[in-house]
Amino acid sequence: MTQKIVAGNWKMNLNYEEAKVLLKELINNKDKFNPEVQLVICPPMPYLSSFSEVLNGQSWIHLGSQNNFFVDKGAYTGEVSPSQLKSLGVTFGIVGHSERRDNFNEDYSVISKKVKALLDHDIRPIFCCGEQLQVRDSNVYKEFIMKQITDSLFKLKADEISKMVIAYEPIWAIGTGQTATAEQAQEIHTLIRSRIASQYDEKTANAVAIIYGGSCNGENANELFAQNDIDGGLIGGASLDLDSFLTIANAF
Ligand code: 13P
């Protein structure tokens, strides 16, 4: 384990009032969170600005985006640039989530540009990868996941990829209650780390944080986080509840 990172992906949940209540609850319970864990919350985009103001001086919670464009500024109606995110104090950014690959046809070339744009603005990308159930069942899942990673990330320089967070999120485990077993997750995490080591070097591979996502909750986080190559979690549903998020964050 190289780092300890627990990130909450709030997705398109909570209205503004509800989101502010959850943020307040997190802040009020600061003392209960293990200070060795890097906590990240990725609220819906419109809330980032006020969250950033509320969190000013609260560097124990990092602010993350759920999406970004790859151009700095210009006539791109509806898009948000990494430099705009940076100006709000955003330090992490989710890229390539399966929900964006599926619903918005994001392919590897768009995803790799988004990753690079975040890195250029000193925002740590949380790059998501993972296979559908039929890919898992067809037994070519390792090749499938590694292709997602090599296509989108392996053009980066060593000092760039070493800043990455890679989230292994098997699609069949997202929002289904069917978590990958600790062994299934560890198998993929080890594979990812060893491929980075052979493409780059051992030091670079150990600097990359590899976290797990997909029905991670207070009951299973402990076993998952105990695995050698699992550096934390990307949490969906369970990040919307203070007690669950706290239990997960303290599960190392
Ligand atoms: P769940 O934790 O709700 O399964 O979602 C995982 C996820 O997609 C995080 O990005």
Side-chain angles (χ1 to χ4, degrees):
M1 182 175 299
T2 56
Q3 292 158 75
K4 298 183 175 83
I5 297 179
V6 172
N9 177 6
W10 293 10
K11 307 192 179 183
M12 200 176 69
N13 292 301
L14 307 180
N15 66 32
Y16 185 40
E17 292 308 316
E18 293 164 341
K20 280 194 291 187
V21 169
L22 181 53
L23 178 64
K24 259 261 138 40
E25 284 179 348
L26 288 166
I27 291 170
N28 290 342
N29 286 278
K30 177 184 176 185
D31 293 348
K32 297 190 186 146
F33 283 91
N34 176 354
E36 285 174 21
V37 178
Q38 288 192 68
L39 284 182
V40 185
I41 54 168
C42 306
M45 194 78 85
Y47 310 160
L48 286 171
S49 167
S50 81
F51 274 36
S52 165
E53 279 173 26
V54 174
L55 284 170
N56 195 16
Q58 303 263 357
S59 56
W60 64 283
I61 301 184
H62 301 267
L63 208 48
S65 54
Q66 296 179 21
N67 184 32
N68 62 276
F69 195 45
F70 46 78
V71 174
D72 249 10
K73 62 177 177 179
Y76 298 98
T77 303
E79 291 297 325
V80 177
S81 76
S83 66
Q84 291 171 326
L85 294 170
K86 184 75 189 170
S87 72
L88 292 172
V90 166
T91 48
F92 286 81
I94 297 172
V95 188
H97 195 284
S98 58
E99 288 151 16
R100 293 209 60 86
R101 293 178 194 258
D102 291 349
N103 297 319
F104 303 99
N105 299 319
E106 289 195 6
D107 65 6
Y108 80 93
S109 77
V110 167
I111 292 167
S112 60
K113 284 186 211 161
K114 290 186 172 191
V115 164
K116 179 77 171 101
L118 288 179
L119 286 166
D120 287 346
H121 289 86
D122 212 18
I123 297 174
R124 281 186 84 177
I126 303 176
F127 169 86
C128 303
C129 58
E131 79 288 2
Q132 299 89 341
L133 189 56
Q134 65 270 28
V135 176
R136 162 75 43 179
D137 289 343
S138 72
N139 233 10
V140 292
Y141 58 95
K142 291 188 204 163
E143 292 79 2
F144 180 90
I145 296 159
M146 284 320 304
K147 184 163 167 49
Q148 288 181 322
I149 291 175
T150 50
D151 285 355
S152 291
L153 303 185
F154 277 13
K155 286 197 183 73
L156 295 171
K157 298 192 204 89
D159 69 319
E160 292 175 322
I161 199 164
S162 64
K163 295 185 188 120
M164 297 283 310
V165 180
I166 295 179
Y168 170 52
E169 296 208 307
I171 295 171
W172 46 271
I174 295 177
T176 59
Q178 193 195 340
T179 326
T181 63
E183 292 72 29
Q184 285 174 320
Q186 168 64 13
E187 178 189 46
I188 300 301
H189 286 228
T190 310
L191 176 70
I192 294 171
R193 208 181 297 284
S194 64
R195 287 292 291 278
I196 297 172
S198 44
Q199 179 75 17
Y200 296 88
D201 55 68
E202 202 82 31
K203 187 166 159 256
T204 304
N206 287 330
V208 177
I210 309 176
I211 63 177
Y212 169 81
S215 296
C216 185
N217 58 39
E219 276 88 61
N220 56 39
N222 195 278
E223 203 189 341
L224 285 160
F225 296 175
Q227 304 304 307
N228 260 349
D229 289 293
I230 301 186
D231 300 320
L234 180 55
I235 318 301
S239 71
L240 300 172
D241 173 75
L242 172 74
D243 291 333
S244 314
F245 194 56
L246 180 61
T247 309
I248 295 168
N250 287 348
F252 287 94

